[in-house]
Amino acid sequence: DVQLVESGGGSVQAGGSLRLSCAASEYSVSSNCMGWFRQAPGMEREGVAAIDSDGIASYADPVKGRFTISKDNANNTVNLMMNSLKPEDTAMYYCAAAAFCPRTVAAGPFGYWGQGTQVTVS
């Protein structure tokens, strides 16, 4: 089975940074669209960032200029570097995979999902 395993979450103060990683098994990070999503309690899941097979990244407006998505093809891993964290960034963060990236970071095309990693900013 395809597996996506997130790591790197934790609790930080506002203004701090975290680096999330997603290790993929039986799935090529380099050849597909990889995305990050987040969901806060009582809220709907929202897209954060995505990166396509050509390495072109897209971001949701709330994280532009603060978050950076990247691929480490040698390790079949996708990362999300989060800087200048705000309390409103607090959520469970999920790694996801799709054959092709949608025009916007929407959940529909993503068929594989990780278990999530919690990010708490205070």
Side-chain angles (χ1 to χ4, degrees):
D1 292 338
V2 173
Q3 287 186 293
L4 304 175
V5 181
E6 302 97 331
S7 62
S11 182
V12 298
Q13 297 295 309
S17 298
L18 283 173
R19 182 176 182 269
L20 306 183
S21 295
C22 173
S25 298
E26 298 186 15
Y27 198 89
S28 174
V29 166
S30 65
S31 301
N32 294 282
C33 173
M34 304 299 298
W36 286 96
F37 295 78
R38 65 187 183 185
Q39 187 168 23
M43 300 290 103
E44 295 184 9
R45 185 173 300 181
E46 64 175 350
V48 175
I51 184 166
D52 69 13
S53 59
D54 292 322
I56 299 174
S58 59
Y59 300 91
D61 287 341
V63 309
K64 286 181 179 177
R66 298 189 297 123
F67 292 9
T68 303
I69 188 171
S70 63
K71 293 180 178 180
D72 181 351
N73 292 332
N75 292 296
N76 206 37
T77 300
V78 61
N79 303 305
L80 184 70
M81 185 68 220
M82 305 184 294
N83 296 317
S84 301
L85 284 162
K86 305 174 180 180
E88 50 262 47
D89 294 319
T90 296
M92 184 73 74
Y93 282 71
Y94 297 91
C95 175
F100 302 97
C101 281
R103 193 167 65 86
T104 60
V105 189
F110 292 85
Y112 298 106
W113 296 83
Q115 81 289 344
T117 185
Q118 179 67 40
V119 172
T120 302
V121 185
S122 62

